[in-house]
Amino acid sequence: MPRADFYLIDKPRFREDPLLLVCELAKRAFGVQQPTLILTRDFEQAEAIDEYLWSFDEDSFIPHQLAGDDDDANTAVLIVPPGVEVADRPMVINLREVCAPGRFDRVLEVVAADPAEREGSRSRWTDYKKAGFEVNKHDM
């Protein structure tokens, strides 16, 4: 059964910097050798995550790149802005306002503390449940 985990940002360190949680989740996925897609809201967010993954943890390196190159299949973490087509992967970190498309085993929904974002996450929660996902919530 596919799984959807909603990470609701609540802790001050993530409230101040929501992309830190995205990087932490990508690091965990890489640590268990889970090929991962990060679906971003726009190209600017994709570039910001790309930059952040280079510097957020001085003690580790997460192989990553913006999607769309010939070596996408060989890169552990692909950052995917809207409009870029990529092959499905087992793990998806979704930052978009709609449910993640494609086939995957697990989707991680990162939800900012903003009330409008929380409202959007409720409809995605319902949509994932209707699609047969096991759905879980984590306060971060």
Side-chain angles (χ1 to χ4, degrees), residues 1-13:
M1 169 184 286
R3 182 172 155 179
D5 290 284
F6 283 73
Y7 290 85
L8 305 179
I9 293 177
D10 190 39
K11 295 178 183 175
R13 87 178 196 159

Side-chain angles (χ1 to χ4, degrees), residues 27-108:
K27 179 181 175 182
R28 288 183 198 170
F30 176 67
V32 295
Q33 299 179 346
Q34 190 72 262
T36 303
L37 299 176
I38 300 176
L39 304 179
T40 64
R41 291 178 187 238
D42 52 40
F43 189 74
E44 291 77 20
Q45 187 180 52
E47 287 182 318
I49 292 169
D50 180 42
E51 191 73 28
Y52 210 156
L53 282 171
W54 286 110
S55 61
F56 93 102
D57 185 347
E58 295 177 7
D59 297 327
S60 66
F61 171 70
I62 301 164
H64 69 280
Q65 69 183 29
L66 292 172
D69 287 339
D70 291 338
D71 59 346
D72 281 357
N74 301 319
T75 303
V77 175
L78 281 182
I79 305 164
V80 187
V84 177
E85 295 294 322
V86 295
D88 292 336
R89 292 200 169 185
M91 175 81 73
V92 175
I93 300 172
N94 189 32
L95 305 176
R96 297 182 183 167
E97 296 174 353
V98 297
C99 290
R103 294 185 165 272
F104 43 85
D105 298 327
R106 189 168 177 205
V107 59
L108 310 179

